[in-house]
Amino acid sequence: MDLQKAQKLLNAAFKDRDRQLAAAKSGEEYYHNRSKIKQTGAAAIDEINRFLCDLGRNPLKSADNRIPTNYHKVFVDQKIGYLFTYPPQLDIGSPQANDQLTQALGSDFGRILKKLGLDASNWGRAWLHYYIDEHQKLQYHWVSPEQILPVYDVNNIKLPLKYLIRTYAMTDDAGETYERYEIWDDKECSYFLRKTSELLKDVKPEQHPEQSGFTGPKVLPNRFGQIPFIEFRNNADATSDLEMYQDLIDVYDKVFSGFANDIDDIQEIIYVIKNYQGAREQTVYDDEGNPKRVPLDPLQMLKASKWIGVDENGGLEVIHGDIPHEARSKFIELLKVQLYIAAMAVDPNPDKIGNASGAYLDYLYQLLELKAGMMETEFRPQIDELIRVIAQYTGLGEPSKIEQTWTRNKPKNYLEIVQMIAQTPSSVMSDETKTKEHPLVDNWQQEREQIRKEEKDRQEEMMKLPQLGGDPEDPVDE
């Protein structure tokens, strides 16, 4: 790709990048407990305190607790644990092919899948990159969505990837910091560099290092014939989970932090002594040690001495803060209920507990199941694509079929399930399906193989037993 085309492509792709990143990055910030309350405080308490201090009013309202409740992390981890605690079991046609696929996927498959689910929940979409390593072995790993700028083919109704731009920081041997751009299409990957201090229009092709034996811009062929990145969307709109309930979390954090502020402020008791003015100036010293008289800050005086004088008839009055506990507690309770509904999550403190029936557990998890199902629908074809790539580059060929069996991580009424399986005749449900659905079976494929092995062993043992009803003329040992 030539420089002029690359600059045009980069300018178009980066046009709305900052706005899109700001919106998408909110999910990551809230997940790490850095919600809006950290910047604004409860009802912008900084500005309010400054205004009240200037007026000399409401000195009791001065606490500034900023407590994020971290509900977003609870909701996301609940969904990810529900979906990906048990990675989907894959079947591509035969036990031998399944074993080869499992070996090619490696032990990191479940961990990478969880990370993709986490990124998709926070950013709206996640990205997986597959590549050939220095040992000519196919590898795959997740890539931060912050690094990826997809360019779709808008002339195709399915919106396939036309180009993919990956951008990240790098530092050369001289300590100079650069932005590096990889521009992928189905034929090649071109590399471009831009110094961090320069503008986007100053991007230049990256040159091969002298010791490599090559000259000219760095362009590598794409060995796959397609862009080696797979997009995993959170839902059909590629929106983050946070968008469903961010405003509710912000309100909850403000109310909760305001409650903590009131608890702190109620400890502040001020005595109003009528007809006693008290001191109105104080002595301070400059940098050279010279004393000078300055007016007392009323708010500082109140905090230090806990009393204030006023021009009225003699007397003493005590002022302290009040907490509208009942109204605020009710509002927090209503907010919490609405939060779980908006987040489509499961309340960990339901009204009923104990040995609940399967129907009641399904009722508790119905919203979470709907949300998880939308993510599963988006992830299934992408996992199929990864399997086809692995099958192609490991010699398995095109799979005759690809089946994914997903297992939810939720409480179950095992007695009900086992009874239902036992009471279902084989004319309705096969033994293989019964093994898949049995709650005590973790890997149904291994379980079916073990069942076949034990059945074969029993038949061999039966063949070794003496035959009953033999020839009556045979001699009998006495």
Side-chain angles (χ1 to χ4, degrees):
M1 181 176 292
D2 58 45
L3 178 59
Q4 185 177 3
K5 184 177 179 180
Q7 286 178 332
K8 183 177 179 181
L9 182 62
L10 288 172
N11 283 325
F14 276 78
K15 187 175 182 181
D16 294 327
R17 183 195 184 213
D18 292 340
R19 179 185 59 81
Q20 294 172 355
L21 274 182
K25 203 169 183 177
S26 294
E28 189 83 3
E29 292 293 312
Y30 275 65
Y31 183 80
H32 292 292
N33 211 24
R34 296 189 291 266
S35 58
K36 190 177 179 181
I37 191 69
K38 286 288 191 180
Q39 287 77 44
T40 63
I45 196 72
D46 284 340
E47 295 299 324
I48 291 176
N49 277 343
R50 189 175 298 111
F51 175 74
L52 293 176
C53 179
D54 292 341
L55 294 181
R57 299 177 183 173
N58 201 15
L60 296 177
K61 296 293 182 181
S62 57
D64 187 11
N65 292 287
R66 301 185 179 193
I67 307 171
T69 50
N70 211 14
Y71 269 103
H72 177 57
K73 179 177 173 61
V74 173
F75 297 148
V76 170
D77 286 351
Q78 188 181 86
K79 183 180 74 171
I80 299 305
Y82 183 65
L83 262 179
F84 299 119
T85 295
Y86 310 109
Q89 298 179 38
L90 307 174
D91 183 5
I92 57 174
S94 68
Q96 295 79 10
N98 291 338
D99 290 341
Q100 286 182 265
L101 176 63
T102 300
Q103 185 176 1
L105 285 171
S107 58
D108 277 348
F109 176 62
R111 184 174 65 88
I112 292 175
L113 203 58
K114 284 182 182 178
K115 177 59 177 174
L116 291 171
L118 183 62
D119 282 347
S121 298
N122 285 330
W123 294 83
R125 65 190 77 203
W127 293 91
L128 181 137
H129 176 39
Y130 53 89
Y131 57 96
I132 304 296
D133 65 12
E134 63 273 13
H135 304 294
Q136 300 303 305
K137 185 178 179 182
L138 182 70
Q139 302 284 358
Y140 65 96
H141 205 266
W142 56 269
V143 179
S144 171
E146 194 171 7
Q147 297 182 1
I148 302 298
L149 282 169
V151 179
Y152 301 99
D153 184 358
V154 295
N155 296 319
N156 189 324
I157 193 172
K158 293 185 177 181
L159 296 177
L161 280 175
K162 187 176 183 179
Y163 300 102
L164 183 137
I165 302 168
R166 183 185 175 198
T167 174
Y168 50 92
M170 61 176 294
T171 305
D172 63 13
D173 295 337
E176 189 73 44
T177 304
Y178 292 87
E179 282 282 320
R180 190 186 202 189
Y181 305 99
E182 300 176 4
I183 303 181
W184 290 85
D185 60 18
D186 57 354
K187 295 182 178 62
E188 64 185 23
C189 177
S190 303
Y191 294 81
F192 297 85
L193 292 176
R194 175 180 68 91
K195 288 186 178 180
T196 306
S197 58
E198 294 176 344
L199 300 175
L200 187 61
K201 64 182 179 65
D202 297 318
V203 64
K204 296 177 178 61
E206 182 178 349
Q207 302 296 314
H208 284 280
E210 294 181 2
Q211 63 270 23
S212 67
F214 295 92
T215 58
K218 187 172 182 180
V219 180
L220 300 179
N222 184 351
R223 302 172 57 177
F224 296 97
Q226 60 187 14
I227 297 176
F229 289 80
I230 302 177
E231 179 184 15
F232 289 78
R233 293 192 171 197
N234 186 39
N235 46 50
D237 299 324
T239 56
S240 73
D241 286 351
L242 182 65
E243 292 190 26
M244 298 189 294
Y245 47 78
Q246 180 176 355
D247 291 339
L248 286 169
I249 286 181
D250 291 340
V251 172
Y252 194 103
D253 288 349
K254 287 181 180 179
V255 174
F256 197 84
S257 299
F259 210 159
N261 290 341
D262 286 346
I263 295 296
D264 285 348
D265 289 331
I266 200 173
Q267 302 177 53
E268 300 286 348
I269 299 177
I270 291 178
Y271 297 95
V272 178
I273 305 176
K274 297 179 180 180
N275 203 20
Y276 176 74
Q277 295 299 311
R280 288 290 181 263
E281 291 184 337
Q282 62 179 341
T283 302
V284 298
Y285 297 88
D286 58 22
D287 296 338
E288 298 178 354
N290 300 317
K292 63 177 180 178
R293 301 288 292 177
V294 297
L296 271 174
D297 184 336
L299 187 58
Q300 289 182 357
M301 183 176 65
L302 285 172
K303 286 293 184 182
S305 59
K306 308 298 183 187
W307 60 264
I308 184 172
V310 293
D311 289 327
E312 290 293 342
N313 296 327
L316 178 67
E317 183 179 350
V318 178
I319 298 177
H320 59 80
D322 295 320
I323 299 179
H325 177 271
E326 185 175 350
R328 184 169 287 169
S329 298
K330 184 64 176 178
F331 185 53
I332 287 180
E333 182 180 338
L334 292 173
L335 273 176
K336 185 177 179 181
V337 171
Q338 189 58 38
L339 258 174
Y340 279 98
I341 294 174
M344 302 176 73
V346 179
D347 188 344
N349 297 305
D351 295 334
K352 294 182 180 180
I353 57 175
N355 188 22
S357 67
Y360 179 68
L361 289 173
D362 289 341
Y363 169 77
L364 282 179
Y365 279 75
Q366 61 177 332
L367 290 178
L368 179 59
E369 176 60 36
L370 287 173
K371 182 171 65 172
M374 288 188 289
M375 173 176 273
E376 180 186 334
T377 301
E378 297 296 325
F379 271 49
R380 275 181 173 271
Q382 310 308 83
I383 293 175
D384 286 352
E385 182 179 345
L386 175 62
I387 292 172
R388 291 190 185 96
V389 171
I390 290 175
Q392 179 182 355
Y393 285 89
T394 54
L396 288 173
E398 182 68 22
S400 58
K401 68 170 185 177
I402 300 178
E403 289 186 0
Q404 302 179 28
T405 303
W406 293 63
T407 303
R408 304 290 196 254
N409 181 18
K410 74 173 183 178
K412 299 178 181 178
N413 190 312
Y414 294 118
L415 181 60
E416 285 185 359
I417 297 173
V418 171
Q419 287 176 345
M420 185 182 300
I421 292 174
Q423 294 170 4
T424 303
S426 299
S427 59
V428 176
M429 182 185 294
S430 68
D431 290 340
E432 183 173 295
T433 302
K434 290 180 180 180
T435 305
K436 285 183 181 180
E437 299 299 328
H438 201 288
L440 299 182
V441 175
D442 293 327
N443 189 317
W444 69 270
Q445 294 171 336
Q446 291 181 1
E447 192 66 27
R448 292 306 305 173
E449 187 65 29
Q450 182 65 23
I451 290 172
R452 284 190 288 267
K453 180 179 180 300
E454 292 180 359
E455 182 63 26
K456 182 179 178 181
D457 292 342
R458 280 194 294 269
Q459 290 178 359
E460 291 177 354
E461 290 295 327
M462 289 292 293
M463 295 296 293
K464 294 178 182 179
L465 294 176
Q467 298 293 324
L468 298 177
D471 190 347
E473 295 183 357
D474 292 341
V476 179
D477 294 335
E478 293 183 1

